[in-house]
Amino acid sequence: MELARDCGDDLLLGVAAAEPYLETERVIAERRARGLFGEMRFTLTNTARSCHPERLVRGARSVIAAAAPLWRPAAPRPDDPTGRMPRYAWSDPYAPLRARLGVIADGLRAQGARCAVFVDSNHHVDRAAAIRAGLAFSAKNTMAIVPGHGSFVALGVIVTDAELELEPAPQLVPPGCGSCTLCIDACPTGALDEPGTLDATRCISWTTQQRNAMPEEHAAALEDRVYGCDICQDVCPWNAGPARRGADEQPHAGAWISLTDWLTLPDAELLSRHGHLYVPDRDPRYLRRNALVALGNAFPEHAPELAGPYRDSADDLLRVAARRALERS
């Protein structure tokens, strides 16, 4: 695509018709009826909008799907008590992708087209666009996998009334999971026992982002994680190639956060440091809960110092997590 030349060689693009994602909408309704989403919302909240790109821009004809690879090696773990972050949350991958797509959208507007950019937005199911455009396929762990780049990618789209054609990139390896079940076997809470379907109520990634108390099964499985979970992606063979190719890149310090900071910083500062994360109600108590769980799992010797102040908290969420950590010290 001519307009994308200045956006970097690593930006992968495909074009799909701006037509309803009817199968995606059906699957969402079916899984919601089964209770598999729990309290999860996001693009699931309003499928009449998120599954209908033709409603997002007047006269929409095309959806430009984009994928930006994220894989980078982690920096060595610090000596201090630290929690593990998922790769997509090491920094904000969506802001630069949004800016790059904005350049393409501006070029289309200069040619008289209407455009709207959606990146990490509840308005559009970007995963469905990437699959329709031939960039990705849906894996058994429900991730969108881009052959050659794996599942560690940031997705976004431009919806436009321009009629576009783009030859899809040739697939050097046939997409699909075949007989592989590594992700299913590795999930510590059985959230993927039905291949291709995620039970969010059993997923420890979603557990770190929801409002309810953390079940002990999930708290133990969390190990040193404080937000999200990469287990099903770390074991995926599709991510082995990007890991090999990126092994010599600059290590990223965002892989680790200080548990001391998460448990002692003022609320406003803690939230400002992690503004790119989804935190329910922008309430730092959920981050502190996660830090207390990880503290008890991985660094119980530091619990008296860091969890002690929360032992008698009036907040049930924090008090229970703190006492759990102290019991392990």
Side-chain angles (χ1 to χ4, degrees):
M1 182 180 291
E2 190 77 21
L3 291 170
R5 285 185 176 177
D6 296 331
C7 292
D9 294 337
D10 64 330
L11 185 63
L12 310 169
L13 298 172
V15 171
E19 297 173 352
Y21 307 118
L22 296 179
E23 178 61 12
T24 299
E25 190 171 24
R26 183 197 67 76
V27 167
I28 289 173
E30 183 263 332
R31 294 180 185 176
R32 179 186 288 120
R34 293 172 58 190
L36 297 182
F37 296 136
E39 292 187 349
M40 189 181 290
R41 297 293 181 264
F42 307 120
T43 55
L44 315 173
T45 304
N46 184 356
T47 56
R49 176 185 62 193
S50 63
C51 291
H52 289 266
E54 78 282 4
R55 297 173 181 171
L56 298 177
V57 170
R58 182 155 51 93
R61 295 181 180 178
S62 305
V63 176
I64 303 172
L70 298 180
W71 205 97
R72 288 173 66 182
R77 185 173 205 145
D79 293 331
D80 297 333
T82 50
R84 184 185 303 269
M85 293 290 279
R87 197 172 298 274
Y88 80 91
W90 291 2
S91 60
D92 181 1
Y94 300 113
L97 176 57
R98 192 176 293 111
R100 295 166 84 180
L101 292 183
V103 171
I104 298 174
D106 286 344
L108 289 169
R109 293 186 186 105
Q111 297 176 10
R114 295 188 186 91
C115 295
V117 175
F118 299 98
V119 177
D120 192 30
S121 166
N122 293 340
H123 285 66
H124 185 273
V125 283
D126 298 342
R127 179 178 174 280
I131 293 169
R132 178 180 286 178
L135 286 181
F137 69 91
S138 183
K140 289 179 181 176
N141 63 357
T142 75
M143 302 300 296
I145 292 183
V146 178
H149 299 275
S151 59
F152 289 115
V153 293
L155 301 177
V157 302
I158 302 170
V159 181
T160 177
D161 65 353
E163 190 151 10
L164 302 173
E165 291 185 14
L166 185 69
E167 286 295 324
Q171 301 293 348
L172 302 180
V173 182
C177 296
S179 60
C180 180
T181 60
L182 288 175
C183 59
I184 297 169
D185 300 337
C187 180
T189 51
L192 297 168
D193 282 356
E194 183 180 337
T197 299
L198 173 71
D199 184 347
T201 66
R202 299 167 70 184
C203 175
I204 60 175
S205 178
W206 175 238
T207 290
T208 66
Q209 300 176 48
Q210 51 95 23
R211 296 176 175 83
N212 300 326
M214 192 176 295
E216 176 55 32
E217 178 193 10
H218 290 197
L222 208 61
E223 298 178 337
D224 62 348
R225 299 172 185 84
V226 290
Y227 191 89
C229 173
D230 283 342
I231 290 174
C232 68
Q233 298 185 81
D234 286 338
V235 301
C236 178
W238 283 100
N239 289 320
R244 283 194 306 272
R245 294 192 298 272
D248 294 331
E249 292 185 21
Q250 181 68 30
H252 202 297
W256 313 105
I257 63 91
S258 166
L259 294 179
T260 301
D261 285 352
W262 275 34
L263 292 170
T264 61
L265 285 175
D267 289 356
E269 185 174 352
L270 177 59
L271 288 174
S272 69
R273 288 192 184 186
H274 301 285
H276 62 290
L277 302 181
Y278 168 75
V279 180
D281 308 318
R282 299 307 297 166
D283 189 337
R285 61 199 285 265
Y286 298 110
L287 297 180
R288 300 194 200 281
R289 171 200 60 191
N290 299 347
L292 287 166
V293 170
L295 180 72
N297 288 342
F299 301 95
E301 68 276 15
H302 292 275
E305 171 196 357
L306 296 175
Y310 295 93
R311 178 198 299 271
D312 298 315
S313 173
D315 186 327
D316 289 347
L317 199 71
L318 298 180
R319 185 177 64 255
V320 169
R323 293 186 176 183
R324 177 186 180 276
L326 289 165
E327 288 170 0
R328 285 157 173 74
S329 65

